Amino acid sequence: MKLDLSEISQRPNMRVVVEVDQPCVEEADFQCAQPVRGQLTFVNGGDLLLIDGTVRTTVELPCDRCLEPARLPMEVRVEERFALAEVLQPRLPTEEDAEFDNTLATVIHLEAGKPILNLDELIHQQLVMNLPIQIVCDPSCRGLCVHCGANLNQGDCGCEPQEPASPLSGLAALLQNEENGHGP
């Protein structure tokens, strides 16, 4: 969804509420199992465009342990502040801006001189930033066998259980060599 920001950017204290009810943006890393719903409020704060609100959806990603699909309900608080001068004249990154990281430059562009907000991209960025580091289908997920790759949630695979290596096993070997009269 694209929003024309030309009127709100010209009228101080103007407030616009936007109801969000749309499919998720196509993303290679995750899919939405439900539409994105919520409400965003846009306010011209004089020299800033304030965007506040909440959006909700359920994303589907592969489990980090077993690779089966995992559904994750998400409620994301959106709080963005854009300088109105930059909204009216968005700056594109140059080659010198290798580390350029500006949300505004990726979600607002000019069309026929009017500032247009790509709401889909803004919501997409908010969802990505709020994904947890580890996705699991279930807290008790047993994952995959390290030997044969079988999903251990579906039963034992028959591989010999492996004793976990102690973090001090290297030190124990050195001590044993020293006790046997062998130097390091």
Side-chain angles (χ1 to χ4, degrees):
M1 175 190 308
K2 294 185 178 186
L3 300 175
D4 183 348
L5 300 176
S6 55
E7 184 178 0
I8 193 168
S9 62
Q10 299 296 321
R11 296 182 55 198
N13 300 319
M14 183 176 179
R15 177 186 187 96
V16 176
V17 177
V18 175
E19 295 294 327
V20 177
D21 187 0
Q22 62 189 45
C24 194
V25 175
E26 293 297 320
E27 168 64 30
D29 295 340
F30 67 86
Q31 296 177 351
C32 290
Q34 298 177 340
V36 178
R37 293 189 172 102
Q39 187 179 71
L40 297 175
T41 302
F42 294 76
V43 177
N44 180 329
D47 58 349
L48 292 175
L49 175 64
L50 312 162
I51 305 172
D52 290 303
T54 304
V55 292
R56 290 170 293 287
T57 190
T58 299
V59 296
E60 190 172 280
L61 300 131
C63 174
D64 288 339
R65 294 182 189 162
C66 69
L67 302 178
E68 293 294 320
R71 288 189 171 210
L72 176 68
M74 293 185 71
E75 182 170 299
V76 176
R77 179 87 180 134
V78 178
E79 295 181 46
E80 289 290 342
R81 307 291 182 258
F82 299 136
L84 278 172
E86 290 184 39
V87 168
L88 293 170
Q89 295 295 319
R91 179 174 88 88
L92 296 176
T94 63
E95 284 184 29
E96 295 150 5
D97 295 327
E99 298 295 319
F100 187 77
D101 182 23
N102 186 343
T103 301
L104 185 135
T106 60
V107 298
I108 297 180
H109 65 277
L110 294 178
E111 274 184 25
K114 295 180 181 181
I116 305 295
L117 172 76
N118 184 339
L119 188 59
D120 294 339
E121 181 60 25
L122 178 66
I123 290 172
H124 170 257
Q125 288 181 17
Q126 295 293 320
L127 289 172
V128 168
M129 287 190 314
N130 285 281
L131 285 173
I133 292 172
Q134 185 177 40
I135 309 294
V136 291
C137 59
D138 186 278
S140 62
C141 177
R142 295 178 59 208
L144 302 176
C145 173
V146 297
H147 298 291
C148 69
N151 186 340
L152 298 175
N153 296 317
Q154 298 171 353
D156 288 331
C157 61
C159 294
E160 287 290 320
Q162 183 178 345
E163 289 292 322
S166 167
L168 301 176
S169 59
L171 181 58
L174 284 174
L175 288 174
Q176 188 166 8
N177 281 342
E178 197 171 282
E179 287 174 3
N180 294 337
H182 297 48

